[in-house]
Amino acid sequence: MSVTRKKTCRVLLVEDDPDHRDLILSKISKVAWFPVKVQWESLASEGISILKSGRFDIVLLDLSLPDSRPEDTLRAFADEFPALPIVVLTSLADEDLVENAISWGAQDFLDKSTVTSELMARSLRYAIKRKESLNHLRKQNEALRTFSHTVAHEVKSPLQSVVTALHLIRESALPKDEKNTLGRLVDLGIDSTTHLTNLVNELLAFAKYDGENFAKQPVELSALVEDVIREVRAFHVMDDAEVIVEGEMPVVMGAALQLRQVVLNLISNAFKYRDERPLKVTVSAKLQKNGWMISIEDNGVGISETDLPKVSNLFYRVSGHSEIPGTGIGLSFSKQIIERHGGYLEVESSLGEGSKFSFFLPA
Ligand code: ADP
């Protein structure tokens, strides 16, 4: 809804402390810009069930509730009601959580000790506006994904026939060592269609991703990393790369297949973007304040300062890397997966020295 003077803004306040509740209600009652109607609940479970049955424009959410741990409350509401704006009510004790509130799906936060009715009005209004824009973008994104999926799906079968036909021509009609123009053209056709097939497969995985259910479970990263290393090594059989897994890999909460996709993208990139030096890839995990930072470091070609901020944009490829097969989808896909886990992806790199891709997963 757009908040105008005429429309009533329906607010659900989830706050267990009666004094804080009264304080917030008193600030809301003085909001003069638009009419506000508030309903109050004191438990996370009650808040969620009332949201399922009633229509609300926004939630004012205290994170420390009797039936929910502070680190779980926001995720529970944001996952259950992805289109609903949430403003987190904080106190000094929540300082660490506030840092993560926005990336976990809140539109704003209000400090209970300093909130005024003016700040309250502004926060409600802009949180709703921000969420509206976000929902609009999300819809457009979904439409684009559906479109990509349809196109990729339609292209896949005919493309497969072309690839098979080209291989058959190469194997049966042309001798293996044929280096005449026809042989070279068929090889070129095989390379291009192989690239297109990779692109179509990655687009299909990318387009399918958002529609999938996102169920978190304990994921043993040590087994996952070993499995990925085996797969990447099988693909680069001739490679003499040294791959080191440093220390213990943790068990994290996440969607196993999607996390595997991220680790696979990062380790296979380390193999792909190497230079003539012997390749060394190091996988490590560091415990941080609120979660784990997993890093994949290589001593490959590296990325320049100009390219670095753009490498996780969809379809972006460093211009000098065009000889190496790739689609520019993997990092963008990985970034989305990690952000969907409430984390972030970062990269440090130095041209000619190597790159370190790290992703943070909240505990
Ligand atoms: P792809 O490898 O299929 O092109 P990605 O999205 O995985 O797509 O990567 C985007 C671009 O970032 C790559 O094309 C490459 O230019 C650069 N890149 C990714 N990983 C590395 C790395 N480990 N070292 C150097 N460049 C990299």
Side-chain angles (χ1 to χ4, degrees), residues 138-210:
R138 189 169 285 145
K139 275 195 190 130
Q140 285 185 325
N141 203 14
E142 268 165 30
L144 201 64
R145 276 179 196 279
T146 312
F147 176 73
S148 318
H149 187 267
T150 313
V151 172
H153 198 258
E154 290 301 310
V155 168
K156 197 174 171 168
S157 314
L159 189 60
Q160 194 51 52
S161 313
V162 177
V163 174
T164 314
L166 284 172
H167 275 287
L168 283 176
I169 293 172
R170 189 74 183 101
E171 274 161 32
S172 52
L174 297 165
K176 281 244 174 328
D177 58 352
E178 186 78 59
K179 279 291 166 219
N180 63 18
T181 314
L182 192 57
R184 280 204 307 277
L185 283 177
V186 174
D187 283 344
L188 192 66
I190 289 175
D191 285 351
S192 305
T193 44
T194 305
H195 173 73
L196 261 181
T197 308
N198 290 339
L199 186 66
V200 162
N201 286 337
E202 289 201 26
L203 265 180
L204 276 173
F206 187 63
K208 214 174 89 190
Y209 163 65
D210 219 27

Side-chain angles (χ1 to χ4, degrees), residues 269 272-273 298 303 311 316-318 321 326-328 330-331 355:
N269 278 352
K272 271 161 58 177
Y273 301 103
D298 63 60
I303 303 164
V311 284
Y316 190 83
R317 303 203 68 213
V318 174
H321 298 170
T327 58
L331 285 181
S355 310

Side-chain angles (χ1 to χ4, degrees), residues 317-336:
R317 303 203 68 213
V318 174
S319 57
H321 298 170
S322 54
E323 292 289 297
I324 302 162
T327 58
I329 296 178
L331 285 181
S332 164
F333 192 15
S334 301
K335 185 166 173 257
Q336 288 196 28

Side-chain angles (χ1 to χ4, degrees), residues 91-294:
S91 53
L92 279 181
D94 298 325
E95 214 176 321
D96 286 350
L97 292 169
V98 169
E99 269 185 35
N100 293 318
I102 303 296
S103 60
W104 288 351
Q107 271 57 61
D108 201 0
F109 51 87
L110 282 171
D111 184 343
K112 289 184 231 180
S113 59
T114 55
V115 66
T116 60
S117 37
E118 169 91 357
L119 281 174
M120 174 67 75
R122 200 178 288 278
S123 181
L124 291 178
R125 187 173 208 156
Y126 292 121
I128 291 173
K129 284 250 166 267
R130 240 172 259 142
K131 193 68 183 186
E132 271 176 1
S133 317
L134 208 67
N135 289 340
H136 181 64
L137 274 178
R138 189 169 285 145
K139 275 195 190 130
Q140 285 185 325
N141 203 14
E142 268 165 30
L144 201 64
R145 276 179 196 279
T146 312
F147 176 73
S148 318
H149 187 267
T150 313
V151 172
H153 198 258
E154 290 301 310
V155 168
K156 197 174 171 168
S157 314
L159 189 60
Q160 194 51 52
S161 313
V162 177
V163 174
T164 314
L166 284 172
H167 275 287
L168 283 176
I169 293 172
R170 189 74 183 101
E171 274 161 32
S172 52
L174 297 165
K176 281 244 174 328
D177 58 352
E178 186 78 59
K179 279 291 166 219
N180 63 18
T181 314
L182 192 57
R184 280 204 307 277
L185 283 177
V186 174
D187 283 344
L188 192 66
I190 289 175
D191 285 351
S192 305
T193 44
T194 305
H195 173 73
L196 261 181
T197 308
N198 290 339
L199 186 66
V200 162
N201 286 337
E202 289 201 26
L203 265 180
L204 276 173
F206 187 63
K208 214 174 89 190
Y209 163 65
D210 219 27
E212 280 176 354
N213 277 334
F214 185 82
K216 278 191 179 179
Q217 61 195 46
V219 180
E220 272 194 40
L221 278 188
S222 61
L224 185 150
V225 166
E226 288 303 334
D227 184 47
V228 167
I229 293 172
R230 255 195 309 276
E231 180 174 335
V232 178
R233 277 200 187 282
F235 197 74
H236 297 260
V237 210
M238 304 303 285
D239 222 304
D240 53 348
E242 181 187 6
V243 186
I244 301 165
V245 180
E246 233 172 47
E248 284 279 299
M249 285 282 126
V251 175
V252 292
M253 286 303 289
L257 278 180
Q258 293 167 11
L259 290 181
R260 188 180 190 285
Q261 181 75 46
V262 174
V263 176
L264 179 65
N265 281 338
L266 299 182
I267 297 186
S268 69
N269 278 352
F271 272 70
K272 271 161 58 177
Y273 301 103
R274 61 174 297 176
D275 57 18
E276 61 291 338
R277 291 171 295 164
L279 177 64
K280 185 173 168 193
V281 182
T282 310
V283 185
S284 59
K286 240 193 205 145
L287 183 59
Q288 299 206 330
K289 210 163 40 168
N290 301 318
W292 285 94
M293 185 69 96
I294 315 297

Side-chain angles (χ1 to χ4, degrees), residues 9-28:
C9 175
R10 291 148 302 179
V11 179
L12 176 68
L13 168 63
V14 189
E15 168 66 75
D16 62 317
D17 183 321
D19 291 340
H20 290 171
R21 174 201 60 197
D22 292 345
L23 173 94
I24 298 296
L25 288 177
S26 76
K27 303 298 172 194
I28 296 182

